[in-house]
């Protein structure tokens, strides 16, 4: 039985190009989520849109692993830049993922730490990180390998961005990656998150976000194409 690669995006724009390229496509609905099975660039894949936020992302990922048996997970989409060297259109490849809105500091835990749990920052698979990096180099795409921060908040404040960099050493901020990462960690499944910067997370998103989401998704699609062909 061929290895199945799980592909997740949060929004329609983030999976549209992948969906258009799938062959032998079938749709399975679980928990109201469409899972598209088929082949893409010669590989057996299951593609899905998780929706926005950590709960949606976690449920989607668990079903992807439990029901469809995905052996590795690639998550793609857009994010707000946190690292000062990042510009709109740049790529962040996850070294790890962490929840920036996990805040139990009142009980003496550092921000982002999940109480009573050994791991709170979930490391991406090194081989997948390397493959994503090779894709960026091949495509002449500017990239950075760093920590992806997730929370159920759309970050649009320069002071908050500075906090996320200083306190958590984040590279970018989004709303799903750490949930996907935690489920993959719990299932001992390799993953990587690839995010294209659609805005600077500083309040200018209302100007940039819609304009750059489609363009950013095209960049992510090119990277996934390279990775799938190489896997």
């Amino acid at each position: 039985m061929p290895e199945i690669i799980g592909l997740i995006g949060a929004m329609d724009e983030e999976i549209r190009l992948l969906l258009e390229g799938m062959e032998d496509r079938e749709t399975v609905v679980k928990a109201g989520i469409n899972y598209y099975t088929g082949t893409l660039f010669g590989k057996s894949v299951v593609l899905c849109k998780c929706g926005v936020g950590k709960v949606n992302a976690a449920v989607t990922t668990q079903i992807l692993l439990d029901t469809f048996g995905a052996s590795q997970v690639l998550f793609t989409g857009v994010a707000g830049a946190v690292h000062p060297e990042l510009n709109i259109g740049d790529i962040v490849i996850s070294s790890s993922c962490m929840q920036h809105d996990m805040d139990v500091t009142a009980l003496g835990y550092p921000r982002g730490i999940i109480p009573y749990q050994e791991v709170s920052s979930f490391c991406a698979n090194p081989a997948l990180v390397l493959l994503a990096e090779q894709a960026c180099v091949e495509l002449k795409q500017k990239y950075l390998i760093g920590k992806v921060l997730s929370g159920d908040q759309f970050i649009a404040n320069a002071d908050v961005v500075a906090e996320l960099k200083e306190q958590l050493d984040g590279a970018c901020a989004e709303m799903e990656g750490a949930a996907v990462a935690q489920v993959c960690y719990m299932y001992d499944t390799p993953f990587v998150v690839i995010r294209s910067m659609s805005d600077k997370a500083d309040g200018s998103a209302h100007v940039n976000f819609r304009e750059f989401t489609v363009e950013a998704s095209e960049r992510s699609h090119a990277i996934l194409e390279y990775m799938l062909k190489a896997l």
Side-chain angles (χ1 to χ4, degrees), residues 19-209:
L19 194 57
E20 289 172 357
M22 284 184 71
E23 298 175 353
D24 304 318
R25 190 174 89 197
E26 295 184 6
T27 305
V28 180
V29 181
K30 294 281 185 182
I33 303 158
N34 289 332
Y35 290 85
Y36 305 99
T37 66
T39 57
L40 189 61
F41 308 118
K43 302 297 190 299
S44 294
V45 302
V46 179
L47 172 67
C48 52
K49 179 189 77 171
C50 67
V52 175
K54 293 186 298 178
V55 173
N56 281 328
V59 171
T60 300
T61 305
Q62 183 169 2
I63 292 171
L64 186 62
L65 302 181
D66 261 344
T67 302
F68 297 95
S71 60
Q72 50 195 319
V73 174
L74 312 181
F75 187 102
T76 181
V78 298
V82 169
H83 196 289
E85 290 180 11
L86 287 168
N87 292 305
I88 292 170
D90 293 347
I91 295 289
V92 169
I93 303 166
S94 63
S95 56
S96 62
C97 298
M98 194 174 198
Q99 298 178 60
H100 67 75
D101 61 350
M102 177 60 68
D103 189 346
V104 197
T105 52
L107 296 182
Y109 292 91
R111 182 175 178 178
I113 296 299
I114 304 169
Y116 317 119
Q117 190 165 299
E118 288 184 11
V119 177
S120 297
S121 183
F122 304 98
C123 291
N125 177 262
L128 291 177
V129 172
L130 179 60
L131 191 56
E133 183 177 20
Q134 290 170 346
C136 288
V137 170
E138 181 72 23
L139 296 165
K140 296 181 171 55
Q141 169 64 56
K142 188 182 173 190
Y143 70 95
L144 185 151
I145 299 172
K147 186 187 290 183
V148 173
L149 300 178
S150 306
D152 289 324
Q153 304 162 357
F154 191 98
I155 304 300
N157 181 291
D159 292 337
V160 175
V161 170
E163 254 182 39
L164 294 177
K165 182 70 180 77
E166 182 181 342
Q167 295 179 11
L168 297 173
D169 193 29
C172 67
E174 37 88 295
M175 300 176 72
E176 298 86 25
V180 173
Q182 184 169 347
V183 174
C184 287
Y185 169 80
M186 294 168 76
Y187 277 75
D188 195 26
T189 299
F191 78 91
V192 69
V193 175
I194 300 161
R195 290 287 191 175
S196 183
M197 301 304 101
S198 61
D199 61 88
K200 301 279 277 183
D202 58 1
S204 61
H206 65 285
V207 177
N208 297 328
F209 187 74

